[in-house]
Amino acid sequence: MSNENTVTAAPGGFENPAGAASSYPERTTARAVLETLRGYGIDTVFGIPGTHSLEFYRPLRELGIRPITTRHEQGASYGADGWSQVRGLPGVVITTSGPGLLNSLSGAATAYAESRPMILLSPGRPVGHDFRDIGSLHETKNPSAAVNAIVGVSRRVTSAAEAVTMIHDAMRDFAHSRPRPIHIEIPLDILEAPADVPESATAPRPLGEPAPAPEADVAAAVEALAASERPVILAGGGSLAAGEHLLELAELLEAPVITTTNGKGAIPEKHRLSLGADLRLSTAHEFLRSRDALLVIGSKVGEAELWGGDITPQGPVVRVDIMRDQMLCNLTPDVEVPGNSAAVVPQLLAGLRARAGAGGSGDAAGSGDVAGSGEAGDVAVEPSARTAPDLREVFDAMDEEGRTWAPELAALNETIMDVVPDDTILAGDSSQVTYMGSTTFFRAPVPHSLLYMGTYATLGYGLPAAIGAKLAAPERPVVCLVGDGALMFSIQELMTAVELGLDLPVICVDNGGYGEIRQNMVDRSIQPLGVDLAQPDWVRLAEGFGATGLPATMDTLADTVRTALETKGTSLVHLKI
């Protein structure tokens, strides 16, 4: 495709049009791509403007898309991930070429490992300049290939039509397959050229209905579950599409529900059947092994969730997943049910109700909010066939084991959770305070209330993810609770939060460096090395960014967090332990 405008060679070998900005065509490839995204409801993008990405920014105001400029592209991709989880749409990251794109890849790798939708847009070298080792600005050998090794799909497109089609295809894949990030590299001369697609081609396309499972597979699953007396449900991130139907199924089967961290909140965690997201605990493993049927919905049953435990039950394993190959991962199924949980869980409900002779018209049993408080309703399954389990003993045992792992982290988490509002979104990190504290003691009322990435386990995620979440849901309280090591990875994003005027408390739990790695060294008889780190004056640091700095001790923590929640703008609570 040729560009009708006069161009001159820019320093570094990229060609940029000369003269005033008005010489650009009104509808470039960049605009067509953004029109397509806007049609699907995306009104926020994350990134840092660069020399080669300027045409992505030209139409944003007119299209009603808000650009969020972070202080590092890594923060942009983490912010997009947090925004995506809360908004329910793919996060979009716009980077410049070369280092800007590569800086964003930790967030892209996070989205890949946690099965979350993300779209990365970047300019590339002009057509015909591929692999030219001439020292051009941001020169990178093969950026699309580098990104392709990390994301679901990375492609260097050759036209606006190809880029637009990639977005349409991605939106459909996000809805009907395991969501994985995609990257679109658009050569600079194509990015800035007139779009070769009509406006009608950028309009959103119907995504279709969730795919149900084959009837024979559903029937086999219903048979296995109906025959069990002590079923249990393991709900992963893929179960969230089922919405309230998952709780109906749990109540119908009187099946306790334990979740992965990505599935946290799949049913309200104060419900009598919820065992939370404590799949890492040996008490949970023992409980799962004692059941006579295990229904796994939308989880790969990953090692990072189990921490090495065995959860093989005494009876059949039934696995529901949108991807058949995922059902063969880590835990061998006796019954495979391929399909979207949004369709499959209602299929299971219908099958179980039909089997019980209720015709699907009855209400589910026992919808109480707290352990032991539910009252039996108009149930579809005969009461004699399903006895409500008393989970208080196992719940207390799991709770106690969680405290044993890290008593101080348990105590501070409980103190904080007693203070924050029930609808709080909590952003964590690969910090001990998160995975040994918040995952256990933060009782999520709804999905995506805890922003975390247990598989990729990156540092620096919490603060930018909290920013993305607050932008996605400004009406909800958002709190960032992380360790000092994690916060130092992305401390520059405190300036982003201040600049955006976000009411965002950040709680920094300071153990003087990398506490877990220090303990790992001790456990291996290695004298601790490189893990005890000098600390800034965190209160003054926050104030230097324009935030409110608040020192705290365990004795004052509750009152200090209350103050932070009431403080206008961004605040940082520093707690040394």
Side-chain angles (χ1 to χ4, degrees):
M1 177 189 300
S2 62
N3 191 330
E4 61 192 23
N5 299 290
T6 303
V7 296
T8 58
F14 275 59
E15 293 184 338
N16 292 307
S22 60
S23 65
Y24 281 88
E26 288 186 3
R27 193 161 178 277
T28 61
T29 295
R31 182 185 177 94
V33 166
L34 291 160
E35 285 174 1
T36 309
L37 292 170
R38 190 68 184 93
Y40 284 105
I42 294 167
D43 59 7
T44 305
V45 295
F46 296 79
I48 300 175
T51 300
H52 299 140
S53 63
L54 297 181
E55 285 308 306
F56 281 123
Y57 283 79
R58 185 190 298 275
L60 291 181
R61 283 194 183 92
E62 186 179 345
L63 292 174
I65 300 175
R66 184 183 187 183
I68 303 300
T69 301
T70 55
R71 285 352 190 227
H72 192 286
E73 287 91 356
Q74 180 173 274
S77 53
Y78 293 154
D81 184 74
W83 183 92
S84 172
Q85 289 185 71
V86 175
R87 183 62 71 87
L89 292 167
V92 175
V93 182
I94 296 176
T95 76
T96 192
S97 52
L101 172 63
L102 298 184
N103 281 345
S104 72
L105 292 190
S106 186
T110 298
Y112 183 90
E114 310 302 335
S115 301
R116 295 173 188 159
M118 179 181 289
I119 297 174
L120 294 95
L121 304 173
S122 73
R125 301 175 74 181
V127 173
H129 287 223
D130 318 44
F131 308 112
R132 292 184 65 188
D133 187 10
I134 58 175
S136 60
L137 183 65
H138 297 334
E139 188 171 86
T140 310
K141 180 181 177 182
N142 191 345
S144 187
V147 181
N148 199 50
I150 293 172
V151 304
V153 175
S154 173
R155 184 176 303 152
R156 177 177 164 89
V157 299
T158 59
S159 67
E162 187 179 357
V164 165
T165 298
M166 274 196 74
I167 293 172
H168 288 310
D169 290 347
M171 296 301 296
R172 187 170 183 83
D173 286 345
F174 293 153
H176 296 286
S177 185
R178 186 181 183 188
R180 279 330 204 345
I182 72 158
H183 166 237
I184 305 174
E185 178 187 331
I186 308 177
L188 190 64
D189 50 338
I190 293 176
L191 183 75
E192 298 178 342
D196 62 353
V197 291
E199 290 188 26
S200 59
T202 67
R205 298 174 183 174
L207 299 180
E209 296 299 318
E215 291 184 7
D217 294 332
V218 173
V222 167
E223 178 71 24
L225 295 171
S228 68
E229 296 180 358
R230 304 182 314 280
V232 64
I233 297 172
L234 169 56
S239 74
L240 301 182
E244 295 180 357
H245 294 301
L246 179 62
L247 180 57
E248 291 181 50
L249 180 62
E251 290 175 335
L252 185 62
L253 290 170
E254 287 295 349
V257 178
I258 190 166
T259 77
T260 65
T261 51
N262 281 333
K264 190 173 177 68
I267 71 170
E269 290 195 314
K270 291 184 180 180
H271 188 278
R272 63 183 179 85
L273 289 174
S274 173
L275 292 176
D278 285 323
L279 196 56
R280 65 184 175 89
L281 298 178
S282 61
T283 308
H285 303 159
E286 182 180 353
F287 177 76
L288 291 169
R289 290 195 300 268
S290 73
R291 311 308 282 181
D292 66 351
L294 171 60
L295 173 60
V296 181
I297 305 177
S299 172
K300 57 183 174 290
V301 196
E303 296 175 5
E305 296 279 1
L306 288 175
W307 287 24
D310 175 20
I311 61 170
T312 305
Q314 295 180 8
V317 174
V318 179
R319 296 191 66 169
V320 175
D321 206 286
I322 203 166
M323 302 295 289
R324 186 177 284 275
D325 61 351
Q326 281 294 101
M327 289 185 287
L328 306 177
C329 182
N330 294 320
L331 183 66
T332 303
D334 297 288
V335 181
E336 301 173 29
V337 191
N340 192 319
S341 68
V344 175
V345 172
Q347 284 181 289
L348 294 175
L349 277 167
L352 288 163
R353 285 169 172 160
R355 184 184 177 90
S361 62
D363 293 329
S367 57
D369 287 334
V370 295
S373 67
E375 297 179 359
D378 182 14
V379 299
V381 177
E382 292 293 332
S384 60
R386 294 290 171 194
T387 302
D390 186 348
L391 300 177
R392 286 173 293 187
E393 183 176 342
V394 67
F395 186 88
D396 288 346
M398 291 171 62
D399 193 67
E400 182 59 30
E401 184 182 352
R403 294 176 202 284
T404 302
W405 275 92
E408 193 169 22
L409 298 179
L412 72 87
N413 264 277
E414 286 191 305
T415 298
I416 293 168
M417 303 320 158
D418 283 344
V419 173
V420 300
D422 289 341
D423 62 340
T424 294
I425 298 170
L426 186 70
D429 215 301
S430 190
S431 301
Q432 288 178 302
V433 69
T434 301
Y435 57 78
M436 288 186 174
S438 303
T439 54
T440 297
F441 298 103
F442 174 53
R443 312 296 184 197
V446 293
H448 302 303
S449 293
L450 176 66
L451 306 181
Y452 180 55
M453 27 70 244
T455 299
Y456 196 65
T458 182
L459 287 168
Y461 174 84
L463 176 54
I467 291 170
K470 189 64 177 177
L471 290 167
E475 74 285 357
R476 288 181 66 182
V478 178
V479 174
C480 176
L481 174 58
V482 296
D484 60 285
L487 184 55
M488 194 58 85
F489 267 66
S490 58
I491 189 61
Q492 68 276 1
E493 303 308 341
L494 199 65
M495 193 71 248
T496 305
V498 170
E499 181 179 56
L500 293 169
L502 301 181
D503 295 336
L504 178 63
V506 179
I507 305 172
C508 174
V509 179
D510 174 8
N511 66 2
Y514 302 130
E516 184 188 8
I517 308 305
R518 181 192 302 117
Q519 187 60 51
N520 292 160
M521 288 181 170
V522 171
D523 293 343
R524 291 172 179 246
S525 300
I526 300 172
Q527 184 175 351
L529 181 68
V531 292
D532 296 308
L533 307 178
Q535 297 291 314
D537 183 326
W538 286 96
V539 170
R540 292 178 63 189
L541 179 65
E543 292 171 349
F545 277 109
T548 300
L550 300 166
T553 65
M554 284 298 293
D555 290 337
T556 66
L557 181 59
D559 287 338
T560 307
V561 172
R562 287 191 188 94
T563 299
L565 289 166
E566 295 167 358
T567 297
K568 187 68 177 174
T570 306
S571 57
L572 188 148
V573 175
H574 176 237
L575 173 66
K576 186 171 180 60
I577 62 171

